[in-house]
Amino acid sequence: MAQVRLRDRGRYAFDNTMSKGPSALIGWLGLASAILIVVFASLTVALTPGDAGHNGHWPGMLWRTLMRAIDPGTVGGDTGSPMYLALMLAVTVGGIFIVSALIGVLTTGLETKIADLRKGHSKIIERNHTVLLGWSDQVFTVISELGKANESQRRSCVAILADQDKVDMEEAIRRHVDLGNTRVVCRRGDPLKVADLDLVSPDTARSIMVIAPPAEDPDTHVIKVLLSLGARDWSSHRPSVVAAVTNSANLPAARLAGGSAAHVIDADDIGVRLVVQSHRQSGLSTVCTDLLDFSGNEFYLRSEPSLTGKTFGDALDAYELGISIGLRRTGGTVLVNPPMDTVIETDDQLIVLAEDDLLVRLAAGPPQVVTDAISTTEPEGAKPARTLLVGWNQRAPKIISLLDAFAQPGSVLDVAAFRDDPRKRLTDPAHLTIGFTSCDPTDRAALEALDAGSYQHVIVLSDDAHAPQHADARTLVTLLHLRDMEERIGDPYSIVSELNDEGNREVAQVTRADDFVVSARLISLLLTQLTENHHLRDVFASLLDPTGSEIYLKPATDYLLPGTPANFATVIEAARRRGQTALGYRRREEFHRSPAYGVVLNPDKAAPLTLSADDRVIVLSEQ
């Protein structure tokens, strides 16, 4: 074995210290400067004692050599013997090399630190902020809505942790979102790693949202992140966690992974229900969007001791600018549109639909009801219907199953899609007769052969075999063909369509479809609502549960006599008599006018209102 020389050991130790970065380099330069100053001060005292004595002997020479080492110009004013001047010149030249090296080290260190900060590797210090784990286009909707929700707050913060370039994330957010008073802080890292998760201070956060990535199997990523959060050793505070899965089969696993603090929703199931319900009552997705975003009306929880002992029916018009839609009882039980004789108990909270919680105030007295305008007509019973389902995607089997559950016996559903006959793989329907035709939904001749005029309802599904934008483009072509065919036939049928991108909805208005379901945006809005108030989870769950009261758009003739002047308080009273809660109305003539598309929620109760036979009243009802 070769003997290690002392010189090699010294070089190895030097290399190790140099590899530690700018701090070590500055230390070596400081040591070199000290040696240079001490050596030349000592040489000056030894070789030129007269000049040294004239300049303060050894302590004074230390100061003078220091000044010449850091300021080359100082040597220009020196006088003395040639040896003294030569020594001062030598220390100045040595100082030039040391100072130049120091500047280079500092510059490099600052550039490295700035680059590291731009990579998003520093820990944030925030409290009561919202954390987003992951990255997708969903982020833009969430941040935009959080900005609207926190407009009244001076210091609201959203922290994003994703395996994306920090600068790219920040530029994309600035390009797509008007932040207002909300600050967005981006950090690059993997939410599954504890060290990276600590970068966004989750222990002091108000809530955490898990964003599903645009991957082939996004649920796997969501479940892994929920497992990581569930296994984390939280301090005294554990924020609420919200997430969504795209496959219903993964919902139990996701909820188990997240634990009791996580609120996981089934995006696939919600999307299916919206499509089916919208086909039965066009405009539902517009109503849901208004209820879920923060730019319109939202749900608030209010404690009203003055209403204790009164019935829920009495509380419907108790607020001047708000509508009571249900109760939240002690223990968290939520009752949406309970029986009108339900008594409000001491600790009950009213669930109120209002534009802002600051505007919710009790009315001085009940508004005037125009009883002569209330319709006593019994609603028409459901009849068998013919429905055409155009296109196919992974949600189609669930949509067909739910359509069958709502259908009247004798109803017909015909599927037209560019694929093999799927009926053998479907569950035997109980009420529907299912037909199938193989055709390209964008082919005009193929669509005309379907005899669309013989159907009351048409559903156009987005083809998930294509990229989202391309799928939306194909959907628009299909909608244009269907609407042109309807105008030529003169026999109207309702059209409900899926879209992937909310930005395409405005473009799609030219097709004059009755409703567009943008499931991804609605899921983003729902998750954002839950991050702001997780108590609303049970409210929305109840609204989307088919076993309880749901949102319906019913004919206005069920509530008011067509063309008879009244007000919305009269509509509330007419709905109350039917055991329903009225939320608003939709004008037929404004179905295709953005941004509200004819939907008016929580209107002024006393303002004059006249509805036509083609208008709809938005109610909460069990059927």
Side-chain angles (χ1 to χ4, degrees):
M1 181 177 179
Q3 186 176 2
V4 179
R5 294 178 298 177
L6 182 62
R7 176 183 177 184
D8 295 332
R9 291 183 181 275
R11 179 176 295 177
Y12 176 67
F14 177 76
D15 291 343
N16 283 340
T17 56
M18 292 289 287
S19 65
K20 293 181 179 179
S23 58
L25 295 175
I26 292 173
W28 280 111
L29 289 174
L31 178 61
S33 300
I35 293 174
L36 177 71
I37 293 167
V38 171
V39 168
F40 276 90
S42 301
L43 287 174
T44 303
V45 172
L47 299 178
T48 59
D51 292 317
H54 181 70
N55 290 287
H57 299 287
W58 197 79
M61 289 311 304
L62 282 177
W63 175 254
R64 287 186 172 275
T65 52
L66 172 63
M67 292 298 99
R68 280 146 184 79
I70 64 177
D71 186 3
T74 308
V75 73
D78 284 341
T79 58
S81 63
M83 178 59 71
Y84 174 78
L85 294 177
L87 290 171
M88 293 300 99
L89 177 60
V91 74
T92 300
V93 173
I96 290 175
F97 284 105
I98 292 175
V99 170
S100 299
L102 178 62
I103 293 174
V105 169
L106 290 175
T107 303
T108 303
L110 287 173
E111 290 178 347
T112 302
K113 182 62 177 178
I114 292 173
D116 189 57
L117 289 174
R118 287 174 65 86
K119 290 178 181 178
H121 292 161
S122 61
K123 182 178 180 179
I124 71 170
I125 306 298
E126 297 285 349
R127 298 190 67 85
N128 203 33
H129 57 294
T130 302
V131 174
L132 307 184
L133 301 179
W135 181 266
S136 72
D137 290 344
Q138 185 181 9
V139 167
F140 305 130
T141 300
V142 172
I143 294 177
S144 176
E145 292 303 311
L146 288 174
K148 296 174 185 176
N150 298 321
E151 282 179 342
S152 60
Q153 299 183 17
R154 291 184 178 181
R155 291 183 55 84
S156 62
C157 177
V158 177
I160 302 174
L161 178 65
D163 192 13
Q164 302 282 330
D165 183 80
K166 173 181 179 291
V167 177
D168 291 344
M169 288 190 287
E170 291 174 343
E171 290 180 351
I173 291 170
R174 282 193 293 267
R175 211 166 43 241
H176 290 88
V177 182
D178 181 11
L179 298 176
N181 297 329
T182 300
R183 292 180 299 108
V184 177
V185 182
C186 298
R187 290 293 181 265
R188 181 167 191 170
D190 185 353
L192 296 176
K193 297 180 180 178
V194 175
D196 290 352
L197 191 60
D198 287 338
L199 294 178
V200 289
S201 300
D203 296 289
T204 57
R206 176 177 56 183
S207 56
I208 298 174
M209 182 188 298
V210 182
I211 304 293
E216 185 176 348
D217 188 8
D219 289 354
T220 300
H221 173 84
V222 171
I223 292 173
K224 286 182 178 179
V225 175
L226 290 174
L227 279 171
S228 176
L229 293 172
R232 183 181 175 84
D233 185 15
W234 296 95
S235 57
S236 57
H237 168 69
R238 181 175 181 178
S240 63
V241 179
V242 299
V245 293
T246 58
N247 189 335
S248 302
N250 294 324
L251 184 62
R255 287 180 173 170
L256 182 62
S260 58
H263 307 284
V264 185
I265 63 175
D266 188 345
D268 190 41
D269 182 69
I270 293 174
V272 167
R273 294 190 183 282
L274 285 172
V275 170
V276 174
Q277 291 282 42
S278 296
H279 123 276
R280 301 170 63 220
Q281 42 189 351
S282 60
L284 178 64
S285 70
T286 304
V287 175
C288 290
T289 300
D290 198 333
L291 291 174
L292 291 173
D293 67 22
F294 287 95
S295 58
N297 290 273
E298 301 100 47
F299 293 123
Y300 298 95
L301 299 176
R302 300 275 299 187
S303 296
E304 293 293 353
S306 61
L307 296 179
T308 300
K310 295 185 177 181
T311 65
F312 175 72
D314 296 331
L316 287 177
D317 52 11
Y319 292 101
E320 183 178 346
L321 295 173
I323 300 173
S324 301
I325 66 105
L327 301 171
R328 184 175 185 269
R329 311 216 112 150
T330 305
T333 302
V334 169
L335 303 175
V336 173
N337 186 42
M340 295 299 157
D341 57 357
T342 302
V343 177
I344 301 174
E345 299 176 357
T346 304
D347 296 327
D348 285 350
Q349 288 181 302
L350 285 170
I351 306 169
V352 182
L353 176 66
E355 188 173 350
D356 192 278
D357 57 343
L358 299 177
L359 301 177
V360 180
R361 56 179 179 270
L362 292 172
Q368 182 180 1
V369 174
V370 184
T371 55
D372 292 341
I374 296 178
S375 172
T376 58
T377 304
E378 288 297 322
E380 291 186 7
K383 300 177 181 179
R386 289 174 54 82
T387 302
L388 176 63
L389 181 67
V390 180
W392 192 268
N393 56 34
Q394 64 177 2
R395 293 177 295 280
K398 291 184 179 180
I399 290 174
I400 293 174
S401 177
L402 196 57
L403 284 171
D404 181 56
F406 284 118
Q408 295 297 310
S411 297
V412 174
L413 173 68
D414 287 329
V415 179
F418 194 54
R419 54 159 297 139
D420 296 332
D421 190 342
R423 288 178 292 181
K424 294 181 180 179
R425 291 180 291 274
L426 298 176
T427 305
D428 291 336
H431 305 122
L432 287 173
T433 299
I434 301 177
F436 174 77
T437 301
S438 178
C439 75
D440 183 354
T442 62
D443 186 339
R444 175 61 178 261
L447 289 175
E448 288 181 340
L450 297 174
D451 188 20
S454 65
Y455 300 93
Q456 289 86 40
H457 309 289
V458 178
I459 302 173
V460 181
L461 298 184
S462 176
D463 190 348
D464 52 15
H466 300 279
Q469 290 297 332
H470 183 53
D472 281 356
R474 289 176 57 85
T475 299
L476 293 177
V477 172
T478 302
L479 291 174
L480 285 169
H481 288 322
L482 288 170
R483 185 54 71 196
D484 182 63
M485 289 161 52
E486 183 268 331
E487 291 180 354
R488 290 174 181 271
I489 297 170
D491 187 12
Y493 41 78
S494 69
I495 303 177
V496 173
S497 175
E498 281 187 316
L499 288 177
N500 296 294
D501 188 349
E502 174 69 16
N504 292 324
R505 177 168 184 161
E506 186 173 348
V507 178
Q509 289 306 309
V510 69
T511 67
R512 301 185 67 81
D514 296 86
D515 204 0
F516 299 95
V517 177
V518 189
S519 300
R521 173 172 169 78
L522 289 169
I523 295 303
S524 299
L525 295 176
L526 177 55
L527 290 175
T528 308
Q529 286 278 354
L530 296 182
T531 61
E532 291 298 293
N533 188 347
H534 65 273
H535 295 300
L536 293 178
R537 175 198 174 191
D538 294 330
V539 176
F540 290 115
S542 180
L543 289 175
L544 295 170
D545 188 351
T547 61
S549 291
E550 299 176 85
I551 300 172
Y552 288 90
L553 286 85
K554 293 182 176 290
T557 52
D558 291 352
Y559 305 91
L560 294 183
L561 296 175
T564 304
N567 54 27
F568 192 69
T570 306
V571 177
I572 292 177
E573 174 60 22
R576 185 189 67 80
R577 295 180 182 183
R578 298 179 184 272
Q580 303 168 358
T581 301
L583 306 180
Y585 55 87
R586 190 187 192 199
R587 298 280 194 185
R588 175 67 185 178
E589 60 186 16
E590 298 178 5
F591 270 24
H592 306 291
R593 296 179 187 174
S594 63
Y597 304 101
V599 171
V600 179
L601 291 175
N602 184 33
D604 186 343
K605 298 181 180 65
L609 175 66
T610 303
L611 298 178
S612 70
D614 294 328
D615 294 334
R616 294 288 183 269
V617 173
I618 304 166
V619 297
L620 290 174
S621 174
E622 292 190 359
Q623 58 181 0

